Amino acid sequence: MSYERPYNNRRRNRDDYERREAYETPEQKIRTAIIRLGEVDVIQEIPRVAKQIREQAVGSVPAISEGFRIGVTEQPYKIPYYANLLRLLHDHADGEQESSTSGSPSLGKQILEDFWKGFQAFLDKLSWRETRLCIHFFAHLTMAKVISVQSMLNLLQSFVAVLDEFGVSHGRAKRAGLCAAEGLMIAGKTLKEASVTDVIDIINAIQIYVESAASSKRLVQPVAQFHAELDSLENADELLESALAVLKALNSTDFAESVNSYPQPYVDLPDLPDGAAVFELPSVLVPPEIIELDGLSADTGEEAQVKKEEWPEYYIRLFDNEVTPDPVSAAGYAVRSALLDIVEIFEVNRKECARLLLEYPKWTLPGTFKPRPGAPVDLQPEPVPGKNWQLESTLMEIVLGALFVLPESTYKAIYYIGLITEICKLSPSTVGPAVGKSIRKLYASLADGLDVEVSRRFAEWFAIHMSNFGFQWVWKEWVPDLSLAQQHPKRGFARRAVEFEIRLAYHERIAKTLPEAFQAEGAHVLPEHAPGPDFEYDEPSNPHHNAAQSVLNLFKGRAKAEDVLAHLESLKTTIGETADGDVNVDAVIRSVAVQSLLNIGSRSFSHFLNAIERYLPVLRSLATGGLEAKTDILTAVSLFWNRNRQMIAIVFDKLMQYQIVDPTDVVGWTFTNGVGNERGDSEGPSAINAHDWDLLKGALDKANGRVLVARKKVTALRKEEDDTRARAKASGGDVTSMEVDTETKLDEPPESAALTTAVKAFTSLTSQQKTALARALDGFIACLAPLSSDRRANPHAHEVLTEKAWHNRANWSDEEWNAWETWGWYRHFCRAYSPYLRNYSTTLGTVSLKKFEGSTDPAALQIMKLWSVATGEEA
Amino acid sequence: MAHVVQSLDQPSNYKDSQARVDRQKQNEMLAKSSTLYVGNLSFYTTEEQIYELFTKCGSPEDGGGVKRIIMGLDRNTRTPCGFCFVEYYTHAEALATMRYISGTKLDERIIRCDLDLGYKDGRQFGRGRSGGQVRDEHRQDYDPGRGGWGAQAQRAEIERRREVEERYADANGMAAGGGGDWKEINAPPAEQTLKRGRSPEDEGGDTRQGQRARMDDLDPDADRM
């Protein structure tokens, strides 16, 4: 292989690297030693590193404290040991017994003082995770008697104060609440000894906040039950609520359980030496959120900024408390939050993240996890009752939990999917079974209301995971479910999973992996043919076969766009004259032209791009003719690619990109025409399925993305002009500065043409954004609360909301499931686009929802309810 | 955040061996690049398969997405030869691909992604002596996904091969742009002519540099380790 050839530049690189290693300064060395603490045996290493730090301490305090800061915020599983290390640095060095009287503070104190500056910087930037992890460190140091109890209480109170702020956003309150809660979990024992009331006040404040945010929970619970407002779910837990439950339980035993939840390696160390005072944490104020005022607002005058992560955070449970940590037990919460932090922090390197996750047990108290199979018996710790969890199942539950957070995961889904792949690669024999069990649990929950968006991500994960592991899945066990209604979520999942697998591989490859029953035509899982194009004018029997052939030949011969247009014009006349009966000539021409163009571009994505780029003028001309023209174009695409839904999404995306159609056209088309492949026809009751959702999402994201880009452009241009103006002023303001000052105001150069254009673009794009969102809202309303006279009204839209109907779901037909799924996508629309909907809530609400005022129709009430939670009218 | 571990989105020592810009300039370009070189593809992998995987790193809500895919072709036979370029609209998407997709499987092969200086016409052709990639000239192993070492393709893939061989027969070395930024359509006529003249932007850039590109860009693989 050519990989090993010693290229010049490679050698040069290596030299560079070695030189860097060689020149590592003492400061860098000490920093590295701190960061790498515990790579072999942490307890043994602590005294050694402490000695090393002492030896090089002179002038190196900033480097040392930086080492601590990186260690604490990037390797939180080491925090108890860092606390231990720092505690040791408060002791006098050997032979230095007398120096304490000299008045110079201990090395430990100097480091802590410098560390505090770093904490303050994290807090000023509102880097919440780093802030929270520093609080963990302070809490351990409080337990180690290094930090004063009262100052620790004051610190936690500053974060609790955030919960009381007027109009505090949920994201901010949640994060501040977790800072206080987790600090209390670690240091509660000592804190409560100092002040019972202070501790109880903290817990009560969190409780009050959690209760006030109750109604927003219903929008993001991973299990949807439209008939009930469930306060708690059987198989999912909200993060802040879990923290609260843990605090209450801990408090009831005066935090006795903390010691079984967090390692406290420092616990047996003596008090600080005589003359050393405990460290008083300075008081802090959590700074307010920065709202960037760029003076740009949507046409409603409302601020058009997008704020995310404003929802309660639900994590799904897949296993029992005996198998994986219970999130509402102190020990369970500690393990889960530590693992979640690792998943977040190491997003930059999924391979290292996987390794650290599998190594995590070494940082926990003995007996937390079951020993690895094959570990020598005498080295195995006694299993601890209530713990002794299974590491691999725990990791799966944590990573999948993070993947399924609604409305969206912190990172892209593909990160969590790739992370699971890496975990599997490191330990296939132990992780494989945990993956299988997770899939089975999730599949089972499909029948019990698993949220539609969670189901979609589940299918996505399943397909990508299988594509990394030879598509080996035991489909046989799901064969009995083929007798369920075709629109049952389990069957929908199987269909989608196979479709996604085929997209990543190819038809025959996936067919090979499926048992007979799934391949059968009636199963509607595996399409009969590979997903190819379907040029309806190919058939000589088609009345427009000849017309299509003539257009196709022009395209093939790379005729000029104007010649094609001229030919289409003449075809119009011919068809108009020869067709019998009522033929919409314009519609026929559009369909013939678009399908022919797609046909010459059908060989690949690039061929398609080349084809439409060459004939953009033709497409533009076909698209003039209002909504009808655009609808015809989109319909032609969906007919041509009816066997390949991936291509429908791709073509729609590029038609929007080339501005042949607008996002609103695609949104409207999806509701009126839908792809309907799963439903079989577009005549039945209107409904939105997962594929329709993909198209809606593609269009809405496009509309939102354009606004974002336009906003950035305006901001950049404004800044540029402000700078230019400032420079001009600075250089011009010399002699008669007083007079000039007033004059320059008048003479101020007008906005540049570029800025004027950019502002105009921003204005028209926000208005398009609003139209697209409004069209989607109207579409959902038409599906879910239609007038009974509506031709495509789904009679079950109201019914599926009732508790009685839900308990009877085993007998539901396709139409009930379609209605239920549409409700699910409406709920997802509300929460996923809530930051955008909020900006337009007044206008959209007035236009679309006014008709429901005073209505007692359960469907209308449900629509209003979900809407008002999403737009923040109801907290 | 990468004091403890190395981030996966750092540029590797992959480079276009024939690019005629200095190291510093190259690094600046890579720090903004939205294009990836993707290697170790099966000869049978289609653009749609690539699209399906790479779209997972797309951020349409930030104005992103897959802009275009350029399949690497054998210079002589015009058949895929195991690499491609994927171009996004934003740099962040290219970085996400480095972190989440590089090193995972596509079509049952572990693919490798590298930030690229940006596609120029001509670069889609293999630079090996036989027309394919340089690495396949020297390969000693049997690799059914990359043409085996003879014509012994696996039976199941014969049909795929036939399609693949025909697919790019018409490739002329000019790639489509993929669609540019949103523009006001009803702009005043004067401005419109101006825009037309420049649009699509990429093509304008490419034609100007076309002459140099042909000399500059040869095998992107020639310098990898």
Side-chain angles (χ1 to χ4, degrees):
Chain A
M1 303 256 298
S2 60
Y3 290 166
E4 294 308 319
R5 262 188 286 159
Y7 290 106
N8 278 337
N9 70 315
R10 190 186 170 204
R11 218 178 298 131
R12 195 162 58 233
N13 282 346
R14 200 192 294 132
D15 287 347
D16 281 353
Y17 183 69
E18 279 162 6
R19 205 174 311 137
R20 259 206 310 278
E21 290 279 287
Y23 284 135
E24 198 174 46
T25 63
E27 266 105 12
Q28 284 166 330
K29 256 189 210 148
I30 196 75
R31 204 186 76 164
T32 308
I34 296 169
I35 292 172
R36 296 212 178 138
L37 174 73
E39 289 197 344
V40 181
D41 182 332
V42 68
I43 296 296
Q44 277 192 349
E45 287 170 40
I46 288 174
R48 201 181 67 213
V49 176
K51 186 159 170 277
Q52 196 185 343
I53 292 174
R54 278 185 193 288
E55 283 166 5
Q56 297 179 28
V58 181
S60 297
V61 168
I64 297 168
S65 88
E66 193 193 3
F68 273 98
R69 207 164 54 239
I70 293 169
V72 164
T73 55
E74 298 184 22
Q75 304 175 100
Y77 39 89
K78 294 185 186 174
I79 289 176
Y81 307 98
Y82 282 126
N84 188 344
L85 178 62
L86 192 66
R87 164 64 191 82
L88 287 187
L89 294 172
H90 279 73
D91 287 338
H92 308 297
D94 299 335
E96 249 187 17
Q97 301 292 345
E98 308 308 315
S99 69
S100 67
T101 48
S102 72
S104 80
S106 70
L107 180 56
K109 189 164 185 203
Q110 293 174 44
I111 296 168
L112 201 45
E113 271 166 2
D114 201 64
F115 185 95
W116 176 265
K117 290 184 206 153
F119 168 72
Q120 187 70 56
F122 287 133
L123 185 58
D124 289 344
K125 282 185 290 184
L126 289 179
S127 304
W128 285 106
R129 187 182 63 225
E130 285 80 359
T131 302
R132 180 168 51 81
L133 295 174
C134 288
I135 291 175
H136 282 207
F137 186 51
F138 297 144
H140 279 287
L141 287 171
T142 309
M143 292 300 282
K145 306 196 186 79
V146 171
I147 285 177
S148 107
V149 177
Q150 192 53 50
S151 74
M152 186 66 198
L153 268 174
N154 293 345
L155 179 68
L156 298 186
Q157 280 160 347
S158 319
F159 284 86
V160 171
V162 170
L163 303 179
D164 277 337
E165 286 171 7
F166 178 74
V168 63
S169 71
H170 188 80
R172 177 175 164 90
K174 175 174 75 185
R175 294 190 188 105
L178 287 174
C179 284
E182 293 182 9
L184 192 51
M185 284 179 207
I186 296 167
K189 188 161 180 300
T190 310
L191 298 182
K192 197 172 175 185
E193 280 162 14
S195 169
V196 175
T197 51
D198 283 349
V199 165
I200 291 181
D201 284 349
I202 293 176
I203 298 174
N204 285 344
I206 297 173
Q207 164 117 24
I208 289 166
Y209 181 77
V210 165
E211 282 166 4
S212 75
S215 75
S216 57
K217 293 194 309 195
R218 61 180 293 132
L219 220 55
V220 287
Q221 288 173 336
V223 176
Q225 302 209 345
F226 294 102
H227 57 268
E229 290 193 36
L230 293 174
D231 199 47
S232 64
L233 295 175
E234 227 170 88
N235 38 16
D237 298 274
E238 203 283 319
L239 189 58
L240 191 57
E241 270 183 26
S242 300
L244 176 63
V246 169
L247 282 180
K248 284 186 185 165
L250 279 172
N251 185 46
S252 69
T253 58
D254 292 336
F255 294 86
E257 267 303 301
S258 290
V259 68
N260 298 321
S261 310
Y262 298 93
Q264 298 178 344
Y266 42 75
V267 78
D268 293 328
L269 295 175
D271 287 355
L272 286 181
D274 291 340
V278 288
F279 187 80
E280 295 287 340
L281 297 170
S283 62
V284 295
L285 192 70
V286 181
E289 280 169 318
I290 305 143
I291 302 161
E292 274 180 48
L293 287 174
D294 56 9
L296 283 176
S297 59
D299 58 352
T300 51
E302 292 156 299
E303 196 46 48
Q305 293 276 11
V306 175
K307 256 175 85 185
K308 293 186 172 180
E309 295 178 59
E310 291 300 314
W311 296 100
E313 210 172 310
Y314 273 95
Y315 289 87
I316 210 160
R317 275 312 289 284
L318 299 171
F319 301 99
D320 295 335
N321 289 342
E322 294 78 55
V323 181
T324 59
D326 176 3
V328 296
S329 76
Y333 182 94
V335 165
R336 296 181 75 94
S337 65
L339 290 170
L340 274 175
D341 282 333
I342 296 177
V343 170
E344 279 216 0
I345 292 170
F346 293 93
E347 174 267 342
V348 294
N349 189 327
R350 61 181 201 277
K351 297 177 187 191
E352 289 295 313
C353 186
R355 180 180 64 77
L356 290 161
L357 287 172
L358 284 166
E359 283 176 6
Y360 172 69
K362 84 173 194 180
W363 302 105
T364 59
L365 294 164
T368 301
F369 288 100
K370 277 193 199 324
R372 310 210 80 192
V377 182
D378 49 330
L379 287 180
Q380 289 180 12
E382 279 291 299
V384 176
K387 291 194 191 174
N388 201 30
W389 296 304
Q390 237 180 10
L391 175 65
E392 291 80 1
S393 300
T394 306
L395 297 184
M396 287 304 297
E397 193 172 88
I398 293 289
V399 180
L400 288 172
L403 166 62
F404 295 148
V405 165
L406 294 171
E408 59 181 9
S409 49
T410 308
Y411 300 112
K412 289 182 189 301
I414 187 77
Y415 164 58
Y416 304 96
I417 296 171
L419 178 57
I420 292 175
T421 303
E422 299 301 332
I423 300 172
C424 285
K425 273 159 58 180
L426 286 178
S427 184
S429 60
T430 61
V431 184
V435 173
K437 279 182 215 154
S438 306
I439 292 174
R440 289 185 185 95
K441 292 269 184 180
L442 285 166
Y443 180 79
S445 66
L446 287 165
D448 300 317
L450 188 71
D451 181 84
V452 289
E453 168 66 10
V454 175
S455 314
R456 195 194 60 76
R457 288 182 212 168
F458 172 31
E460 187 179 16
W461 166 56
F462 180 89
I464 298 178
H465 186 82
M466 291 306 155
S467 84
N468 273 281
F469 294 95
F471 297 103
Q472 293 172 41
W473 180 249
V474 199
W475 286 92
K476 221 163 61 190
E477 62 192 72
W478 292 341
V479 167
D481 291 331
L482 286 171
S483 64
L484 295 168
Q486 205 184 317
Q487 298 304 327
H488 188 280
K490 284 186 172 179
R491 293 197 61 193
F493 170 80
R495 251 192 324 270
R496 236 169 297 143
V498 167
E499 182 181 338
F500 292 165
E501 282 192 347
I502 292 175
R503 289 187 194 178
L504 290 166
Y506 51 104
H507 187 262
E508 298 77 26
R509 175 72 184 90
I510 302 308
K512 266 198 321 210
T513 67
L514 295 174
E516 277 293 306
F518 273 96
Q519 294 198 36
E521 206 180 320
H524 296 288
V525 174
L526 185 75
E528 200 184 338
H529 303 287
D534 200 348
F535 187 43
E536 67 169 304
Y537 304 106
D538 227 7
E539 286 297 314
S541 59
N542 187 294
H544 305 299
H545 171 78
N546 289 336
Q549 287 301 318
S550 65
V551 177
L552 200 55
N553 285 333
L554 285 178
F555 284 144
K556 278 184 183 161
R558 305 203 174 195
K560 281 187 194 152
E562 55 258 41
D563 295 344
V564 175
L565 282 170
H567 181 67
L568 290 176
E569 210 45 52
S570 73
L571 272 184
K572 221 182 254 181
T573 328
T574 331
I575 293 174
E577 280 164 2
T578 56
D580 2 303
D582 230 5
V583 173
N584 181 337
V585 182
D586 284 331
V588 171
I589 291 292
R590 284 175 200 131
S591 180
V592 164
V594 170
Q595 289 201 45
S596 302
L597 191 55
L598 292 175
N599 199 39
I600 62 155
S602 67
R603 285 198 229 170
S604 76
F605 174 56
S606 295
H607 282 87
F608 157 68
L609 287 184
N610 275 309
I612 57 172
E613 228 163 69
R614 194 176 312 134
Y615 290 108
L616 280 176
V618 174
L619 282 168
R620 287 200 190 105
S621 154
L622 291 172
T624 52
L627 184 60
E628 192 192 308
K630 311 216 164 152
T631 306
D632 285 345
I633 290 175
L634 294 171
T635 302
V637 174
S638 79
L639 290 173
F640 184 82
W641 284 116
N642 73 75
R643 292 194 285 120
N644 186 337
R645 293 194 288 204
Q646 182 198 10
M647 281 309 294
I648 295 178
I650 293 178
V651 176
F652 280 15
D653 178 69
K654 286 299 179 188
L655 288 179
M656 289 188 281
Q657 193 71 39
Y658 288 106
Q659 292 175 254
I660 304 300
V661 297
D662 285 334
T664 309
D665 301 322
V666 174
V667 172
W669 183 88
T670 307
F671 280 104
T672 53
N673 297 57
V675 173
N677 285 351
E678 282 188 6
R679 295 193 294 281
D681 65 90
S682 55
E683 287 301 301
S686 24
I688 290 295
N689 64 26
H691 180 65
D692 299 326
W693 173 257
D694 287 344
L695 298 181
L696 281 182
K697 179 172 163 36
L700 294 172
D701 286 349
K702 183 76 78 188
N704 296 333
R706 282 177 178 168
V707 170
L708 186 121
V709 171
R711 167 187 296 279
K712 278 190 191 157
K713 203 171 210 168
V714 172
T715 314
L717 283 170
R718 282 226 174 115
K719 190 176 176 301
E720 201 178 293
E721 290 190 12
D722 285 349
D723 291 351
T724 320
R725 229 167 279 171
R727 264 200 307 275
K729 222 177 220 172
S731 60
D734 40 8
V735 199
T736 48
S737 60
M738 292 300 274
E739 281 166 73
V740 176
D741 226 358
T742 44
E743 266 171 48
T744 35
K745 275 231 166 72
L746 298 172
D747 285 353
E748 210 155 77
E751 272 187 356
S752 70
L755 182 55
T756 314
T757 314
V759 171
K760 221 179 117 214
F762 176 78
T763 314
S764 55
L765 286 170
T766 44
S767 122
Q768 283 187 22
Q769 176 188 42
K770 188 168 94 174
T771 323
L773 292 166
R775 186 67 191 82
L777 178 61
D778 288 342
F780 275 113
I781 291 173
C783 287
L784 294 171
L787 304 169
S788 49
S789 57
D790 192 323
R791 184 176 59 90
R792 297 184 61 191
N794 186 333
H796 303 287
H798 308 65
E799 190 191 311
V800 294
L801 294 172
T802 64
E803 185 170 5
K804 196 169 152 227
W806 178 245
H807 292 308
N808 187 38
R809 64 188 179 281
N811 300 315
W812 278 6
S813 70
D814 287 347
E815 287 192 358
E816 278 106 337
W817 282 118
N818 276 338
W820 184 83
E821 188 177 359
T822 308
W823 276 111
W825 290 119
Y826 172 64
R827 193 171 82 127
H828 186 56
F829 165 73
C830 289
R831 69 190 172 212
Y833 294 103
S834 134
Y836 308 95
L837 296 173
R838 276 168 200 239
N839 291 331
Y840 305 115
S841 63
T842 331
T843 24
L844 294 189
T846 322
V847 173
S848 303
L849 300 170
K850 187 127 200 209
K851 62 178 171 189
F852 294 135
E853 253 170 41
S855 169
T856 52
D857 172 17
L861 292 176
Q862 184 80 3
I863 287 178
M864 303 268 276
K865 175 91 188 165
L866 293 173
W867 171 264
S868 61
V869 175
T871 53
E873 285 152 34
E874 189 177 326
Chain B
M1 161 46 240
H3 297 102
V4 178
V5 298
Q6 176 95 43
S7 176
L8 291 178
D9 59 23
Q10 299 303 304
S12 70
N13 54 357
Y14 156 82
K15 65 167 192 157
D16 177 0
S17 61
Q18 316 273 325
R20 206 172 281 173
V21 279
D22 63 59
R23 202 59 163 166
Q24 194 192 342
K25 178 78 182 148
Q26 282 196 31
N27 288 341
E28 278 167 25
M29 287 165 81
L30 289 181
K32 281 187 276 184
S33 170
S34 55
T35 303
L36 295 149
Y37 167 89
V38 184
N40 199 34
L41 292 173
S42 156
F43 290 1
Y44 306 109
T45 299
T46 64
E47 291 179 26
E48 291 69 38
Q49 285 172 280
I50 297 166
Y51 189 104
E52 176 70 7
L53 184 61
F54 282 75
T55 197
K56 309 284 176 197
C57 283
S59 305
E61 70 282 8
D62 295 332
V66 175
K67 189 165 186 243
R68 55 181 179 166
I69 295 170
I70 290 141
M71 191 61 102
L73 300 177
D74 183 296
R75 210 170 53 234
N76 303 320
T77 63
R78 296 288 197 259
T79 56
C81 66
F83 74 98
C84 77
F85 298 96
V86 174
E87 187 174 338
Y88 289 100
Y89 286 97
T90 68
H91 175 58
E93 293 167 303
L95 290 184
T97 305
M98 297 282 288
R99 289 204 297 276
Y100 310 147
I101 289 184
S102 184
T104 68
K105 281 188 182 177
L106 176 60
D107 219 357
E108 308 190 56
R109 302 179 65 91
I110 292 182
I111 57 166
R112 165 181 170 162
C113 307
D114 278 296
L115 288 173
D116 190 89
L117 297 177
Y119 171 78
K120 289 179 197 160
D121 279 325
R123 281 190 68 191
Q124 77 267 52
F125 297 120
R127 292 164 172 178
R129 194 171 290 174
S130 65
Q133 281 199 278
V134 174
R135 58 167 281 204
D136 283 310
E137 304 276 314
H138 305 277
R139 195 158 50 74
Q140 301 280 317
D141 55 342
Y142 178 82
D143 190 340
R146 292 178 75 100
W149 50 47
Q152 324 173 27
Q154 288 185 340
R155 288 203 72 196
E157 294 198 325
I158 288 176
E159 180 58 14
R160 294 179 81 199
R161 160 171 291 211
R162 194 184 57 73
E163 286 174 17
V164 159
E165 282 172 354
E166 289 174 3
R167 189 171 301 133
Y168 293 99
D170 59 344
N172 62 354
M174 295 290 283
D181 291 346
W182 183 88
K183 291 187 184 76
E184 190 80 61
I185 287 178
N186 301 322
E191 203 179 340
Q192 194 158 10
T193 11
L194 183 72
K195 270 186 186 153
R196 280 275 160 76
R198 273 200 256 130
S199 150
E201 288 156 27
D202 313 285
E203 272 191 4
D206 284 346
T207 13
R208 240 183 298 120
Q209 288 160 1
Q211 207 66 28
R212 231 182 71 200
R214 258 185 294 283
M215 301 186 320
D216 278 4
D217 308 301
L218 287 168
D219 191 291
D221 244 6
D223 213 273
R224 43 196 350 201
M225 44 168 268

